[in-house]
Amino acid sequence: MADRIRAQMVTASHYARLGWIQYWEVSLAYVMDPQVRTETHDAVEAALDAKRVAAAKRKRRAVTAEEKRAAEREVQRLEHRVASELEVDARTLAARASRLARRLALPAGIALVPPWLAVSAGVWPALLAWPAAWLWLALQGRARTMATEGSQDTAGNAAGTAAMAPTGLATSEGEDRWIGATDVETRILRRLDAWGEQAGAYSLSEITPTAPTLDASGIRVVLTLAGEWTPSKLRSKQAVLRSMLQIPTEMRVEIAPGASGHEAVVRIRTRDREVDVSWTPARHGIGIDADSGETVEMSPYQRLLVAGESGSGKSVALRPLLARVAADPHGAVVYLDAKRVEAALWRGKARLARTPEEIREVAAEVRAEMDDRLALMEARQQASWDPTPKRPRMVVVIDEGTEVIAAASEALASLRSIAMMGRAAEIHMWWCTQKPVMSGHGKGIDPQIAAQMGVQICLRVASAAEARTVLGEQATAQGWDAHELPAPGAALIRGIGRGPHPVFTWHATDDDIKTLPEVPAWHRPTDTSQEENTTDTADTGPEPREVLDVALRLCGDAQGIRADQIAAHVDLDVLDIQETLKALGVPGGRFYGPDGSRQRGFRREDLEAAEESEDE
């Protein structure tokens, strides 16, 4: 009898230990939920927006000139302030510490309160809390063990039947594993097969998996969602899913929307597809699909936003596309490389600009070429440009964006104009950066240029926030997890009809580029008389003072006026108006429109100050 009791106690202790492990896994998933950081980042940005609104109210209510100046300084300071990653990390750590404290409160209370009550107040029955907690853990551990063993028994008894094996998989005769699956994959597939018995303990009972498949990239399974579950919510609970399926930490899990709103596609990348990504001129596109192995076709003649942290393979990934342009008799590459590294490979195959002075000059030259082409198209009543060897399609590459913004900021006006209007003239811009941030010191992307980019190529970036900057605000919620990509060479491409499936980009070596045939570098033609004889003499446009007078007249008693409102009354585009007024000393700023909305343009007080300065 004593031996039997001892054996039962040992078994119960084993179950209690399993129950505690399960409790700790669920708690850890709750504490490390990725959604915590997303919510914290949103809270920090909301607080910053609230400060901006409060500062604007103080500015409107200011009475004295000193109060107005102080309020204006605060508004300008807050306009340039962004959510600090350090602050977000600190708040995230505090939130996770709070979650951990709440999860440990119950076991800590059970461990500390009973002896304190027993000693201080003589409530000796409180000590029964210990065996009660031990019994509860033992029951939880036993339930978990039975669920796991039950799934294994079911798999073993049903071996050889079509109902047992997941779609696309087969099981070995008499063995509890899937043919071709590794030990880790077999364990994950077993737990998928036993989903119904385990899901309740992880609060995933409203989700039902379909039969999984196993391919060269790993396990793929479609989950049917019910209740309040959405693909986005499931992504926020990825840590719980990992814990339930016992997925190793080093394996990537991708969750994307399925064919309908109530489905989510989960891919567990247990394998690395063995592919040859070495590039030759005979290979087309930008690379191959990581799932299907098919070539991903992509035209180089479009506006691209390209981002990736140092070492992600950003420059190497673009080489095959640039090589196609350089080999095109009706194509030309213009390479603006403020880092002065990658452009060296393209000497003899592209027009290069590396110093700030060269970048400003070449950007102005390309813009002048664009203006010439647009004028010719207007005179000829053409909607698009017909490229020729003398005036070819052009790809203007900016590498690196951060350096160009910092060292050659005077070129930004020309680059913005090219990004906005160059497409019709067959002048396409590629903006590349290691730091995909649109604000603050050291930003790597100009917001006005980014808004024009129709295709985004994102290799591995440092954070989910940077992935959202490149791929869109809802990118990570939809499965575009560029911050989880392996490096180098893996990329997500948005804007060419693809979903959030990685692409292994072609790897073109330095020697591959050096051995390409040399071609003449593009320069703006000096003799265009035959092409331009159909156009009238170019209009010089209105004088700067005339633009200022129109802006003041349109502004009236309002707080300010937008550049597009001025453009409707003068023969200049928005960028030219901004440059003209800036030359007169009128800075851009924010103001409140007649409807109370916050707008960006030129404040009336700045316009009046510029008028007084001109009169003097």
Side-chain angles (χ1 to χ4, degrees), residues 217-408:
S217 298
I219 299 172
R220 180 183 183 275
V221 61
V222 177
L223 302 181
T224 303
L225 311 177
E228 298 181 355
W229 284 99
T230 63
S232 177
K233 182 178 179 181
L234 181 61
R235 286 177 49 75
S236 70
K237 301 298 182 183
Q238 184 182 131
V240 178
L241 184 67
R242 279 181 170 275
S243 177
M244 190 182 81
L245 299 181
Q246 296 183 2
I247 302 172
T249 306
E250 66 273 10
M251 291 182 179
R252 288 190 301 123
V253 176
E254 300 169 2
I255 303 175
S260 60
H262 69 285
E263 289 182 348
V265 179
V266 178
R267 177 170 284 281
I268 307 169
R269 296 199 175 273
T270 57
R271 306 180 180 190
D272 292 326
R273 177 186 287 272
E274 295 182 2
V275 293
D276 177 17
V277 294
S278 57
W279 177 78
T280 66
R283 283 190 152 171
H284 298 286
I286 190 172
I288 61 174
D289 189 288
D291 295 335
S292 66
E294 298 177 351
T295 299
V296 178
E297 294 291 347
M298 182 174 171
S299 170
Y301 298 112
Q302 51 191 332
R303 293 171 292 190
L304 306 181
L305 176 59
V306 187
E309 64 183 7
S310 179
S312 63
K314 170 171 52 65
S315 299
V316 174
L318 297 181
R319 291 176 181 177
L321 294 179
L322 285 177
R324 287 177 57 188
V325 179
D328 185 354
H330 293 78
V333 176
V334 177
Y335 209 114
L336 312 184
D337 185 8
K339 294 189 303 179
R340 308 180 70 172
V341 177
E342 180 70 14
L345 290 175
W346 296 93
R347 186 179 294 112
K349 307 166 186 67
R351 173 75 181 276
L352 306 182
R354 288 155 293 183
T355 66
E357 293 76 14
E358 290 176 345
I359 291 173
R360 286 193 293 270
E361 292 173 2
V362 173
E365 186 176 345
V366 173
R367 179 178 179 180
E369 172 68 8
M370 177 192 71
D371 291 338
D372 286 349
R373 294 185 182 188
L374 293 175
L376 284 169
M377 289 164 55
E378 182 179 8
R380 297 169 179 173
Q381 297 183 342
Q382 294 177 344
S384 59
W385 180 256
D386 295 325
T388 65
K390 185 178 180 180
R391 307 189 84 168
R393 296 185 184 93
M394 296 170 59
V395 170
V396 182
V397 183
I398 288 83
D399 185 14
E400 142 80 31
T402 303
E403 297 295 331
V404 170
I405 292 174

Side-chain angles (χ1 to χ4, degrees), residues 21-22 119 141 181 222 268 291 298 333 350 439 550 555:
I21 292 173
Q22 177 182 345
V119 173
V222 177
I268 307 169
D291 295 335
M298 182 174 171
V333 176
S439 60
V550 171
C555 186

Side-chain angles (χ1 to χ4, degrees), residues 4 12-13 49 79 90 127 133 209 329 332 381 388 412 425 431 439 462 472 484 502 528:
R4 180 178 298 179
S13 297
D49 289 339
E79 281 182 355
L127 295 178
Q381 297 183 342
T388 65
L412 274 180
W431 186 278
S439 60
E484 295 181 355
T528 58

Side-chain angles (χ1 to χ4, degrees), residues 305 336 338 355-367 370 396-422 429-433 437-440 442-453 573-576 578-579 582:
L305 176 59
L336 312 184
T355 66
E357 293 76 14
E358 290 176 345
I359 291 173
R360 286 193 293 270
E361 292 173 2
V362 173
E365 186 176 345
V366 173
R367 179 178 179 180
M370 177 192 71
V396 182
V397 183
I398 288 83
D399 185 14
E400 142 80 31
T402 303
E403 297 295 331
V404 170
I405 292 174
S409 58
E410 297 87 348
L412 274 180
S414 296
L415 296 176
R416 287 168 180 162
S417 182
I418 294 168
M420 292 178 183
M421 300 186 293
M429 178 178 291
W430 297 2
W431 186 278
C432 311
T433 183
V437 179
M438 293 192 190
S439 60
K443 67 180 181 181
I445 303 176
D446 181 77
Q448 295 185 43
I449 293 177
Q452 307 302 319
M453 300 294 105
D573 61 26
V574 171
L575 287 175
D576 288 332
Q578 292 173 344
E579 291 178 4
K582 184 178 179 181

